[in-house]
Amino acid sequence: PEPGAQRLRRAASVMAVGVVACSALLFLLLRARHDPLVNQGNPSTWRGVAYVVGREQYDVAGLWPRQAPVWLQLANWFEYADWQVALSLGPTVIPTFARVLGTVVFAALGVAGSAWHSRTDRRGWRAVGLLFLCGSLGVIVYLNFKVGRSFAWQFVPEDARHEARDRDYFFVLGFWAWGIWAAMGAMALVRRFALPALLGVAVAALPVALNWSAVNRRAEPEASLPREVAHSLLDGLPPRAVLFVAGDNDSYPLWYAQEVEGRRRDVTIVTMPLLAAPWYVEELARRDQLAITTKAVDIDARAAALANAARAHGRPVAVALTVLAADRARLSSSWTIRGLTAIDDAPQGNQVTRIVVDSVATRAVANAIDQWRHGRTTRPSVDATDEYFQNVLTCPRLIVTPTPSPARRASLDSLCNVPGR
């Protein structure tokens, strides 16, 4: 048995590691008390920290029933694993021979590295193995996710049965663990065949080279696409407008434009899905004096109440064209389109449904977007967000086209949420 002093030191070491691990949560608490712009969940109290860590904002699924068949959840993990090693060799959701070959080689290196690690350091092998199991199978079991956005539509076609986006980042710790073993496998093989150690390092680092072009954020038009979306949404708005947007993908570019570039800080951004969260409603009341009195908890009722609160303060109400037409109609019956936004222009008490176009303003936005675009198109990617917003940026041009084709009219309806004109 260990002497008492040694056991005490070991216990103190474990506690110190625990304190360091919990410091990430303490950071949430300290940061939130400064009320930064992006303050999701507002964990400024210990109760708020528990709210964020427990993901209470979301409809957290239990372990059972499964939100998708277990075999599909496992297959989805293999799809995500195939994106981690050589994505540049096939940067689409459709597998390619070269990409899959890179994944198989990396998986084999991981098996070799795990075997070598088990022989040479059993305790360390258990730690990495536990990290791999918890970061892969454990995540699948615990989070009970729906099928990924790009996966298995032939088996689970309903929108409600898919995640809003692909969530390979859920499994990052498991992928890191396998990367550790793959690096060990590369080094074990070069030692076995008496090859230069630098060769093993190069093989272990291959995923950096084989992923670089697929994940590089400096390439155009992707590099400046979020900024162009934000400018197109903000610049045509009247002073002090309250702009309703569809979700995260709209919100973050706008927050960047306002906080980093100092652009149109007079505009209040309302992210509609967040209206279901009490902390967000409180934040709008605290920061923007947009308090609502409705006791309803659904997003539609809160959005309508918030629009009425904005009007009561003499502030214009606007929506991004990414907001579904049905959601827009709940905020007002009459709109004037200016570029990528629609401005509420309904007289008090008027329920006439209409959409008109400010052709001058919309054409100016379309011209600015055309100048930015220069005929560039987004690269193939496993994430369809860039392609989607490239298409959204075509909406102002479609809207001012005098006689759009049937296909363009369909795009106006489905992509731009504007009836075909």
Side-chain angles (χ1 to χ4, degrees):
E2 291 180 330
Q6 188 173 349
R7 287 199 302 269
L8 186 59
R9 284 196 298 270
R10 185 182 296 274
S13 299
V14 171
M15 290 180 64
V17 170
V19 169
V20 172
C22 290
S23 66
L25 303 182
L26 180 61
F27 173 78
L28 289 176
L29 180 71
L30 297 177
R31 178 181 180 275
R33 290 185 176 182
H34 292 281
D35 199 20
L37 175 76
V38 182
N39 190 20
Q40 300 277 21
N42 188 23
S44 57
T45 64
W46 288 112
R47 176 66 189 93
V49 172
Y51 176 90
V52 170
V53 174
R55 303 175 70 240
E56 295 179 30
Q57 176 178 323
Y58 306 98
D59 184 15
V60 180
L63 298 182
W64 198 265
R66 305 304 293 175
Q67 294 199 93
V70 173
W71 72 271
L72 274 180
Q73 292 178 329
L74 291 169
N76 209 165
W77 179 88
F78 279 99
E79 180 197 32
Y80 293 158
D82 184 41
W83 294 359
Q84 307 305 312
V85 179
L87 192 57
S88 296
L89 301 181
T92 69
V93 297
I94 306 300
T96 66
F97 176 80
R99 188 180 84 194
V100 173
L101 180 61
T103 300
V104 169
V105 170
F106 203 68
L109 285 175
V111 171
S114 175
W116 176 87
H117 196 195
S118 176
R119 291 193 302 270
T120 58
D121 179 10
R122 193 72 175 177
R123 183 179 180 186
W125 176 81
R126 289 194 191 100
V128 177
L130 183 63
L131 179 63
F132 174 69
L133 285 175
C134 292
S136 52
L137 185 61
V139 171
I140 292 174
V141 172
Y142 176 70
L143 291 184
N144 187 14
F145 57 84
K146 297 184 281 290
V147 177
R149 191 67 184 168
S150 64
F151 191 69
W153 282 91
Q154 65 271 40
F155 298 108
V156 198
E158 303 89 351
D159 286 352
R161 300 293 297 279
H162 286 260
E163 294 287 338
R165 60 181 60 87
D166 282 300
R167 303 192 187 276
D168 52 323
Y169 52 85
F170 279 175
F171 304 100
V172 62
L173 295 179
F175 295 143
W176 284 356
W178 198 263
I180 291 171
W181 276 340
M184 290 180 177
M187 295 304 296
L189 288 175
V190 299
R191 287 179 178 177
R192 179 176 180 180
F193 294 103
L195 298 172
L198 190 59
L199 178 61
V201 175
V203 170
L206 269 179
V208 176
L210 296 179
N211 281 321
W212 188 263
S213 65
V215 301
N216 179 20
R217 295 295 186 265
R218 295 184 178 181
E220 292 290 356
E222 293 86 354
S224 58
L225 177 59
R227 187 182 298 111
E228 186 65 22
V229 170
H231 294 179
S232 300
L233 285 169
L234 286 172
D235 289 352
L237 294 173
R240 301 179 61 245
V242 176
L243 176 64
F244 289 80
V245 298
D248 292 351
N249 291 330
D250 309 68
S251 301
Y252 280 95
L254 291 167
W255 291 338
Y256 173 88
Q258 289 185 319
E259 292 302 304
V260 178
E261 299 182 341
R263 201 179 193 101
R264 294 303 307 271
R265 290 187 173 180
D266 60 305
V267 174
T268 296
I269 309 302
V270 178
T271 307
M272 294 182 68
L274 290 179
L275 288 173
W279 66 265
Y280 187 62
V281 175
E282 294 168 3
E283 181 177 282
L284 289 169
R286 183 179 71 254
R287 292 180 177 177
D288 303 287
Q289 291 73 54
L290 293 176
I292 59 177
T293 57
T294 179
K295 297 187 181 301
V297 295
D298 63 284
I299 292 173
D300 295 335
R302 288 184 172 182
L306 196 63
N308 288 333
R311 295 185 189 103
H313 285 81
R315 302 187 64 178
V317 173
V319 294
L321 294 188
T322 51
V323 173
L324 295 177
D327 295 333
R328 183 179 66 228
R330 296 185 184 98
L331 300 179
S332 176
S333 60
S334 182
W335 300 93
T336 295
I337 293 177
R338 296 184 188 174
L340 276 184
T341 58
I343 316 299
D344 172 28
D345 63 2
Q348 191 68 26
N350 190 341
Q351 296 300 315
V352 176
T353 301
R354 67 169 192 155
I355 294 180
V356 298
V357 176
D358 182 336
S359 298
V360 174
T362 302
R363 189 170 285 107
V365 173
N367 291 339
I369 291 171
D370 290 345
Q371 185 177 6
W372 165 82
R373 192 189 301 275
H374 296 304
R376 300 173 299 189
T377 57
T378 53
R379 300 168 297 165
S381 173
V382 295
D383 184 353
T385 303
D386 287 337
E387 182 182 2
Y388 168 73
F389 275 100
Q390 272 272 51
N391 292 332
V392 166
L393 288 175
T394 67
C395 289
R397 181 60 65 196
L398 289 174
I399 290 168
V400 295
T401 300
T403 55
S405 66
R408 290 192 172 190
R409 282 197 294 270
S411 292
L412 281 169
D413 218 357
S414 61
L415 176 67
C416 312
N417 295 299
V418 178
R421 303 175 68 248

